Amino acid sequence: MTVNFVVANYARMAGLPFDAELSVLGGAFARLYDDMIDNIDDAAMDERLAGLFRGDGIEPATDSEQLLSRLHAAIDERLARPADAPIHGMLLALHEHQLASRGQRDPGISRDDLGKITRGKGGLANVTLLALVQPRMSTEERELIMELGEAFQLLDDYLDQDEDRRDGIFTPITRGEATLADVGARMRALRPKLAAHYGAGPVRPFLSMLFLMMGAICVKRHWLPDRVRRRPTRARKPKAAIWSLVGDAEAATPRRP
């Protein structure tokens, strides 16, 4: 749901067609990959996934890897882009930043290194996601999308800060190097840049979406019951994906018997 929400609003702003089925495939792939990286610390798996993203293929060792490989193939088939299309390199670069983020368990990680990880994970996740509908992303647009993705990553870190402190994961939020007000300031600073690139009219609904998502995160963190928003204790790393920003919302919806 979140992936479609973001991609659809970006497509509208950029004047691009929105392929809902492709967006759903991308969201399914992203969620499965995110959970695998979160829950499995296995160098052999890391290399198998890197091979998949390089185009070398994969010999799946688990059902999850088999499903991920099939989703990857389905996305490739629907995109119908050449092997050297930018999206493939973006996905591999994102994977490398995901692996580097394991350094966030080191109490001695520097502010600069932490900032690079935050920008790399959040920015490249956003670029890769939106590249599903934008095959010709310019250098200027890529930089805008990277900045936006970094803000999304900080929002995700804001939502997860209690769990991150519990699990010994260091982020700019848990270390007090960034606040929710800082994230809002980043988004406001992006307004003129986005308007200059896409036009003031198309940008307005996209900006509305950004602040709606920000408000949803505040509600989830401060007003939803702990049993709804709390995640189970597990060995995990911070989520690197924009698609997890308002995840688990369905858990708050009463269900009929």
Side-chain angles (χ1 to χ4, degrees):
M1 181 184 68
T2 308
V3 166
N4 280 290
F5 186 54
V6 172
V7 177
N9 277 276
Y10 165 77
R12 182 188 306 166
M13 177 177 69
L16 298 167
F18 171 60
D19 185 336
E21 292 185 12
L22 178 59
S23 183
V24 168
L25 281 172
F29 177 91
R31 183 57 184 264
L32 176 58
Y33 170 76
D34 196 38
D35 284 347
M36 289 169 67
I37 292 294
D38 261 0
N39 291 288
I40 306 171
D41 192 351
D42 179 357
M45 182 196 73
D46 297 342
E47 181 52 36
R48 285 192 295 272
L49 296 186
L52 174 66
F53 302 151
R54 285 194 300 264
D56 300 338
I58 184 176
E59 289 292 334
T62 66
D63 289 344
S64 293
E65 290 179 20
Q66 177 71 23
L67 178 56
L68 194 77
S69 176
R70 290 179 176 180
L71 286 167
H72 185 273
I75 293 169
D76 262 359
E77 181 179 359
R78 193 167 188 93
L79 280 175
R81 295 181 192 172
D84 61 350
I87 192 170
H88 302 300
M90 294 172 189
L91 189 54
L92 183 58
L94 174 60
H95 182 58
E96 291 169 351
H97 276 84
Q98 278 276 59
L99 302 185
S101 72
R102 289 174 179 155
Q104 288 182 256
R105 293 187 179 275
D106 178 6
I109 188 171
S110 70
R111 181 170 184 159
D112 285 348
D113 287 344
L114 193 55
K116 288 175 184 177
I117 289 172
T118 301
R119 176 174 172 79
K121 289 192 307 179
L124 286 168
N126 204 31
V127 167
T128 304
L129 173 63
L130 299 184
L132 290 173
V133 295
Q134 175 54 286
R136 294 174 296 277
M137 193 175 291
S138 67
T139 302
E140 178 188 13
E141 183 175 24
R142 179 186 168 110
E143 182 60 28
L144 282 173
I145 300 304
M146 285 286 293
E147 285 188 56
L148 186 60
E150 184 177 5
F152 282 139
Q153 181 62 52
L154 288 170
L155 277 176
D156 203 30
D157 292 342
Y158 174 80
L159 178 61
D160 287 349
Q161 61 184 288
D162 295 332
E163 292 87 347
D164 287 340
R165 290 190 179 96
R166 180 192 67 198
D167 296 340
I169 295 167
F170 298 92
T171 71
I173 297 292
T174 63
R175 296 223 305 212
E177 296 166 1
T179 66
L180 186 62
D182 294 329
V183 179
R186 284 172 180 259
M187 290 185 175
R188 287 192 297 274
L190 276 169
R191 183 196 303 265
K193 297 179 184 180
L194 291 169
H197 188 83
Y198 300 106
V203 163
R204 289 191 189 99
F206 187 78
L207 288 171
S208 298
M209 178 209 70
L210 296 185
F211 285 101
L212 176 62
M213 292 180 72
M214 191 171 179
I217 286 173
C218 289
V219 168
K220 186 172 183 180
R221 172 161 171 74
H222 295 289
W223 285 285
L224 289 187
D226 285 349
R227 64 180 175 80
V228 172
R229 67 179 183 85
R230 185 183 296 133
R231 293 173 182 162
T233 301
R234 60 182 181 175
R236 71 175 203 48
K237 301 192 310 300
K239 290 192 176 294
I242 186 176
W243 43 83
S244 68
L245 288 176
V246 290
D248 301 329
E250 67 274 12
T253 303
R255 300 186 182 275
R256 294 182 179 179

